[in-house]
């Protein structure tokens, strides 16, 4: 009896550091149902929990418990988004979100899904969920533990299930909104002009609309429920409980407490950077991995740092609070990181429906506040997101992330235990979502790059515009992830990625790789520095992560050299830019002048070359 009680204890240390030496601030011993052996959690001066457990089960139960202790309101909002129950607390304005969530809910075999992410995935994820629920039980016994946001909303947290962990609602999933945007642009100005304005590469895709698609019908709210399912929650003053009505501070607290997902990466967006360096190019002789994944800043953060130590586990890094394991980090053997790799895992299908029965569609010439009841419709390709009854059309999204293994980042559980490049690459083979550039550096001296992400094979179309759902545009399965671009121990001694196009010349699987990439300047600058011939230190890597040299500035500013300027003020600015070092320092007057000029230049070029009717669909041209 005594040993059973002992096994249910978590010893929790909170360490507060003074200026020069750490001092023990507080120690708490808790009894948590479900633990097999004692667990120790040490919280360091940065608030990072170091969890030490004697069994794998207890390690992940403690991770779930501690994540809930730190981020309970964030987890409750995640749970409601994942289960399609946001309208229960925020009213009918959130019905489209909940309908979209339920349309795109994973409905396959749950055990197979959980075990995709790790050979013991079902066991690990259920232990993690038990830990989250154990802390929720504790708040039920002691409501004073609840964050103030629960009181402001007048709600209490509800229990988790494994289905919540595997939700896809906030992942970087695909390009379906971009696909519809390109389709609308093609309908307005034609495929050739769109190809001249957009930077599709490598090669030139076919983006003409199929003859059976009426481009004029692409301008309805076709992706309304999809976008509702994917967007961040925004609170309104009327959402607060009656006791807090009229209190601006309470609403401000609530509004600031939601995790905001930034916009999807596009060619004009700032994205992530990472690189690995061989020991022969470092001052210590050890390999180095550096990663800077750019996501929207928020409070609480999207990221959640943790150190997990147990049998077979010793991994430290950043993940997300709602999933077990670590997404970006290191173990005793190697370090890994990620940046987005363009992977088109979504398609918008357009169907001709039966005028006599809109629930029937054509495929290969065969016709086939009070409680709210929503009718969810599916085609053979996926959920129906929009019906145009008057024009006998229906639109459905085919999403590769609906397959087994589509939960974002969860396959990093396998990466957490990799000991060699070969083991890491094998773990990458299970990483379906999102499309990423995974890099690796280890104590054996190996470095490598493997693109990941579930990639449909499209034999006869680009995937960049909507297509008919009549059977002429079908995926030919998925490309094995290990067949995606990769490299190990490159000859130059380093490898960098930055959301830019990394397709090798002559790559044989072009029909399973995306077309839209970030501008190449961050990648090019990383290669300039890494290939400089010097030996690098950790400090050099830190400087490179915050490097401010602008390659576009270095390219564009010299074009001003022979410009004849009459206005004295403009001439002074021109000379300043010609003598400038192209560093975008926040205290640099020249940098301010350049950025203002670059923005105006982009706007002028857009107005010159993009027809006015298509500007909302083409947007800013790639640099």
């Amino acid at each position: 009896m005594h040993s059973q009680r002992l096994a249910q204890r978590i010893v929790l240390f909170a360490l507060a550091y003074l200026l020069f030496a750490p001092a023990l601030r507080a120690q708490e011993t808790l009894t948590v149902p479900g633990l097999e052996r004692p667990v120790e959690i040490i919280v360091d001066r940065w608030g990072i929990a170091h969890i030490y457990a004697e069994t794998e089960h207890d390690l992940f139960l403690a991770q779930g418990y501690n994540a809930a202790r730190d981020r309970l309101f964030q987890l409750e909002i995640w749970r409601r988004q994942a289960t399609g129950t946001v309208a229960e607390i925020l009213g009918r304005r959130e019905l489209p979100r909940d309908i979209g969530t339920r349309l795109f809910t994973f409905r396959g075999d749950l055990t197979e899904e959980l075990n995709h992410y790790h050979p013991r995935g079902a066991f690990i994820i259920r232990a993690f969920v038990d830990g989250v629920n154990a802390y929720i039980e504790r708040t039920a016994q002691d409501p004073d533990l609840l964050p103030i946001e629960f009181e402001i909303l007048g709600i209490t947290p509800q229990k988790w299930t494994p289905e919540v962990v595997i939700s896809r609602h906030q992942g970087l999933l695909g390009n379906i909104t971009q696909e519809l945007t390109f389709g609308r642009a093609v309908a307005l100005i034609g495929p050739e002009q769109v190809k001249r304005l957009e930077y599709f590469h490598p090669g030139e895709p076919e983006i003409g609309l199929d003859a059976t698609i009426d481009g004029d019908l692409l301008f309805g709210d076709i992706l309304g429920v999809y976008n509702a399912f994917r967007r961040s929650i925004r609170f309104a003053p009327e959402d607060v409980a009656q006791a807090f009505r009229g209190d601006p501070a309470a609403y401000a607290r609530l509004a600031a407490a939601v995790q905001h997902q930034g916009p999807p990466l596009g060619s004009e967006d700032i994205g992530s950077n990472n690189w690995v360096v061989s020991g022969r190019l470092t001052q210590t002789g050890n390999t180095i991995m550096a990663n800077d994944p750019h996501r929207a800043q928020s409070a609480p953060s999207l990221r959640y740092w943790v150190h997990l130590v147990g049998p077979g586990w010793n991994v430290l890094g950043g993940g997300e609070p709602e999933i077990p394991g670590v997404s970006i980090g290191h173990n005793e053997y190697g370090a890994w990181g990620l940046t987005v790799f363009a992977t088109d895992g979504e398609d918008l299908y357009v169907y001709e429906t039966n005028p006599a029965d809109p629930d029937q569609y054509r495929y290969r010439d065969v016709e086939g506040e009070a409680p709210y009841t929503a009718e969810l419709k599916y085609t053979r390709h996926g959920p129906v997101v929009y019906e145009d009854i008057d024009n006998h059309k229906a639109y459905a999204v085919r999403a590769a992330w609906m397959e087994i293994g589509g939960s974002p980042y969860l396959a990093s559980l396998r990466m957490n235990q990799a000991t060699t490049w070969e083991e890491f690459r094998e773990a990458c083979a299970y990483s379906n979502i999102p499309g990423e550039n995974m890099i690796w550096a280890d104590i054996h001296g190996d470095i490598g790059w493997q693109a990941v992400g579930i990639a449909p094979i499209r034999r006869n179309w680009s995937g960049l515009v909507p297509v008919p759902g009549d059977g002429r545009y079908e995926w030919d399965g998925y490309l094995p992830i290990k067949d995606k671009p990769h490299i190990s121990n490159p000859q130059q001694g380093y490898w960098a990625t930055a959301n830019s196009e990394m397709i090798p010349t002559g790559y044989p699987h072009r029909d399973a790789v995306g077309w839209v990439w970030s501008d190449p300047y961050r990648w090019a600058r990383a290669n300039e520095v890494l290939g400089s011939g010097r030996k690098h230190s950790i400090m050099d890597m830190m400087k490179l992560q915050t490097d401010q040299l602008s390659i576009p500035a270095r390219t564009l500013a010299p074009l001003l050299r022979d410009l004849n300027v009459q206005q004295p003020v403009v001439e002074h600015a021109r000379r300043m830019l010609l003598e400038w070092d192209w560093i975008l320092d926040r205290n640099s007057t020249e940098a301010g002048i350049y950025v203002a000029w670059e923005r105006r230049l982009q706007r002028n070029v857009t107005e010159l070359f993009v027809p006015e009717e298509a500007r909302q669909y083409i947007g800013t041209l790639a640099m």
Side-chain angles (χ1 to χ4, degrees):
M1 191 72 174
H2 173 74
S3 62
Q4 183 179 5
R5 290 200 190 99
L6 181 65
Q8 293 180 341
R9 289 179 182 171
I10 286 182
V11 180
L12 179 66
F13 291 92
L15 300 183
Y17 281 67
L18 300 178
L19 285 175
F20 302 105
L24 190 62
R25 177 76 175 269
Q27 177 177 335
E28 184 180 12
T29 300
L30 307 171
T31 299
V32 178
L35 285 179
E36 299 168 345
R37 302 288 300 157
V39 173
E40 184 176 59
I41 301 176
I42 299 175
V43 181
D44 66 23
R45 58 175 166 169
W46 295 284
I48 298 173
H50 303 258
I51 302 175
Y52 298 85
E54 297 178 28
T55 70
E56 185 175 72
H57 169 270
D58 288 356
L59 182 64
F60 289 101
L61 187 147
Q63 185 185 7
Y65 183 93
N66 200 68
R69 184 180 67 88
D70 287 345
R71 302 282 190 92
L72 187 59
F73 183 67
Q74 186 181 19
L75 293 190
E76 174 61 13
I77 294 302
W78 175 280
R79 186 196 66 79
R80 287 190 173 275
Q81 289 177 278
T83 56
T85 54
V86 177
E88 287 183 2
I89 60 173
L90 300 185
R92 284 184 172 265
R93 76 169 191 267
E94 291 293 348
L95 274 177
R97 177 196 304 279
D98 289 351
I99 292 171
T101 297
R102 298 183 191 207
L103 262 177
F104 287 97
T105 293
F106 175 78
R107 302 183 189 280
D109 182 274
L110 182 60
T111 300
E112 183 182 0
E113 162 78 0
L114 299 179
N115 286 332
H116 173 90
Y117 305 107
H118 191 278
R120 297 179 301 283
F123 176 79
I124 289 170
I125 293 168
R126 288 188 171 111
F128 179 86
V129 167
D130 287 345
V132 173
N133 289 336
Y135 188 77
I136 291 173
E137 284 282 0
R138 188 179 173 207
T139 65
Q141 298 164 11
D142 184 0
D144 289 341
L145 294 172
L146 289 174
I148 185 63
E149 290 84 4
F150 286 97
E151 187 177 355
I152 293 173
L153 279 176
I155 63 173
T156 55
Q158 304 300 308
K159 295 291 186 68
W160 276 46
T161 64
E163 287 87 347
V164 175
V165 175
I166 62 166
S167 174
R168 282 83 155 132
H169 70 274
Q170 277 189 296
L172 300 175
L173 299 178
N175 72 332
I176 196 71
T177 55
Q178 192 177 55
E179 184 175 316
L180 180 57
T181 297
F182 288 149
R184 289 167 172 171
V186 169
L188 288 171
I189 61 176
E192 295 308 313
Q193 194 161 0
V194 171
K195 282 193 285 189
R196 283 196 296 270
L197 295 170
E198 291 288 353
Y199 185 30
F200 301 125
H201 60 110
E204 183 173 299
E206 174 54 53
I207 60 170
L209 294 174
D210 187 273
T212 64
I213 291 183
D214 185 344
D216 292 339
L217 301 182
L218 295 178
F219 294 86
D221 189 20
I222 291 171
L223 294 177
V225 294
Y226 175 91
N227 292 331
F229 149 69
R230 300 276 285 118
R231 68 175 177 240
S232 298
I233 288 179
R234 296 289 187 268
F235 289 105
E238 61 268 22
D239 297 330
V240 303
Q242 191 66 40
F244 290 90
R245 294 286 170 88
D247 183 350
Y251 171 63
R253 167 81 187 214
L254 185 64
V258 183
Q259 173 184 319
H260 297 301
Q261 177 177 312
L265 291 173
S267 59
E268 72 282 8
D269 297 315
I270 296 174
S272 308
N273 314 303
N274 67 21
W275 54 85
V276 281
V277 185
S278 165
R280 63 184 172 87
L281 294 182
T282 67
Q283 292 180 8
T284 64
N286 297 320
T287 58
I288 293 177
M289 189 284 296
N291 195 192
D292 182 11
H294 295 188
R295 294 289 294 272
Q297 293 187 4
S298 61
S301 171
L302 168 69
R303 305 296 180 195
Y304 185 72
W305 282 72
V306 70
H307 181 196
L308 301 172
V309 183
W313 299 85
N314 187 1
V315 57
L316 170 62
E320 296 183 13
E322 77 286 345
I323 61 175
V326 168
S327 302
I328 304 170
H330 70 87
N331 56 28
E332 309 106 308
Y333 305 98
W336 60 92
L338 53 84
T339 66
V340 167
F341 179 90
T343 301
D344 182 358
E346 295 177 318
D347 278 317
L348 182 63
Y349 283 91
V350 185
Y351 305 88
E352 179 185 352
T353 58
N354 184 351
D357 184 355
D359 287 342
Q360 297 179 339
Y361 63 92
R362 186 175 297 278
Y363 181 82
R364 296 192 187 280
D365 293 325
V366 178
E367 293 183 356
E369 290 141 46
Y372 182 89
T373 300
E375 186 177 15
L376 308 181
K377 296 183 180 181
Y378 297 82
T379 69
R380 63 187 297 116
H381 296 117
V384 175
V385 292
Y386 184 74
E387 289 186 86
D388 183 347
I389 301 298
D390 293 338
N391 292 292
H392 314 302
K393 301 292 182 186
Y395 300 78
V397 173
R398 185 173 189 183
W401 46 266
M402 296 285 283
E403 300 282 1
I404 293 284
S407 184
Y409 303 112
L410 199 48
S412 57
L413 281 169
R414 291 178 181 265
M415 301 174 196
N416 291 180
Q417 294 184 296
T419 65
T420 64
W421 161 245
E422 291 76 16
E423 288 183 8
F424 179 76
R425 191 160 174 253
E426 182 61 30
C428 285
Y430 295 86
S431 189
N432 284 348
I433 295 291
E436 300 281 8
N437 293 289
M438 301 301 306
I439 57 170
W440 168 268
D442 65 31
I443 62 173
H444 312 295
D446 293 320
I447 62 174
W449 161 64
Q450 173 70 58
V452 304
I454 187 168
I457 299 171
R458 299 176 180 86
R459 297 296 188 193
N460 61 322
W461 87 104
S462 66
L464 287 171
V465 294
V467 294
D470 58 11
R472 291 179 293 125
Y473 296 85
E474 295 296 327
W475 295 352
D476 190 13
Y478 298 103
L479 182 70
I481 286 178
K482 291 172 75 172
D483 287 345
K484 296 188 82 168
H486 58 275
I487 198 168
S488 63
N489 296 322
Q491 184 176 2
Q492 68 268 33
Y494 61 86
W495 193 262
T497 85
N499 319 121
S500 49
E501 186 255 301
M502 306 281 290
I503 309 303
T505 302
Y507 179 65
H509 305 294
R510 186 64 192 84
D511 50 10
V513 176
W515 293 94
V516 180
W517 312 86
S518 178
D519 283 341
Y521 304 115
R522 290 175 291 110
W523 169 84
R525 178 58 179 161
N527 278 268
E528 277 186 353
V529 175
L530 296 174
S532 63
R534 61 174 294 174
K535 291 202 171 185
H536 304 285
S537 67
I538 291 292
M539 183 59 69
D540 293 328
M541 302 298 94
M542 294 169 66
K543 288 180 179 178
L544 183 53
Q545 284 187 323
T546 57
D547 183 84
Q548 296 173 331
L549 185 138
S550 169
I551 290 180
R554 191 174 66 190
T555 306
L556 292 173
L559 298 178
L560 300 171
R561 190 170 306 281
D562 298 324
L563 190 66
N564 184 19
V565 177
Q566 302 299 321
Q567 302 95 325
V569 173
V570 178
E571 172 62 14
H572 181 60
R574 184 183 75 92
R575 291 185 176 276
M576 290 177 70
L577 290 184
L578 289 174
E579 296 170 2
W580 177 45
D581 60 5
W582 314 299
I583 303 296
L584 294 177
D585 184 88
R586 64 182 180 180
N587 296 314
S588 166
T589 301
E590 293 88 346
I593 293 171
Y594 169 76
V595 170
W597 176 56
E598 182 193 89
R599 288 175 179 172
R600 181 56 186 264
L601 184 63
Q602 287 182 313
R603 188 164 71 248
N604 288 352
V605 172
T606 297
E607 291 173 357
L608 277 171
F609 291 101
V610 182
E612 185 173 0
E613 66 271 23
R615 285 176 195 163
Q616 64 175 310
Y617 304 114
I618 297 295
T620 303
L621 300 180
M623 179 66 72

